[in-house]
Amino acid sequence: MPPAPPPAPAPGPVRVRVRRIYEPPAPDDGLRVLVDRLWPRGIAKADAHIDEWPKALTPSTELRRWYHGPDGAYEEFRRRYRLELAEPAAAEALDALRARTAEGPVTLLTAAKDPALSHTAVLTELLAPDGG
């Protein structure tokens, strides 16, 4: 009889979370990263408490406009956005942010009304330890 497999490791602390930029900062946010291409309306830069704004990780203007237009569908947006993230500048920025998640918590900030149906959901998957 073969030996039993080792137990699965206990889940660690949440390394990546998504919050709306309009929420006040929390003490456990860690590195706060704005992942929208455009600056959010109604937020003063001094009040945003943002550590990084890597525009290479944001969806292109063309993709953003397509998604919010009449033909935009989330699954196709996800596919196209992943292709954009495979481009050299975006891939480098993604690798750098992935490395930061190993150092401590990272909070992705967005103005999206529904982050679960936005680019932040794709980024969260790709920043997971298994790389989504």
Side-chain angles (χ1 to χ4, degrees):
M1 175 178 223
V14 174
R15 290 291 188 189
V16 178
R17 76 172 70 178
V18 176
R19 298 186 64 202
R20 293 197 70 224
I21 187 72
Y22 303 105
E23 298 173 33
D28 60 347
D29 278 350
L31 182 73
R32 292 173 50 89
V33 181
L34 179 62
V35 292
D36 290 348
R37 184 165 295 266
L38 303 175
W39 187 261
R41 291 181 182 175
I43 298 288
K45 290 188 180 183
D47 297 333
H49 304 281
I50 291 176
D51 299 308
E52 293 182 12
W53 188 11
K55 291 185 183 178
L57 288 180
T58 65
S60 67
T61 300
E62 296 78 18
L63 180 57
R64 186 175 44 80
R65 287 181 179 161
W66 172 85
Y67 181 48
H68 295 292
D71 298 326
Y74 183 67
E75 287 307 316
E76 179 62 14
F77 167 78
R78 284 174 43 101
R79 186 189 73 74
R80 293 180 185 190
Y81 182 43
R82 281 177 167 258
L83 289 174
E84 287 188 356
L85 290 171
E87 294 294 321
E92 183 178 326
L94 187 60
D95 286 344
L97 189 55
R98 190 176 289 119
R100 297 296 299 267
T101 66
E103 298 170 7
V106 172
T107 299
L108 305 179
L109 301 168
T110 184
K113 290 180 182 170
D114 187 355
L117 292 176
S118 76
H119 62 292
T120 58
V122 177
L123 283 173
T124 302
E125 290 171 11
L126 293 173
L127 291 170
D130 64 1

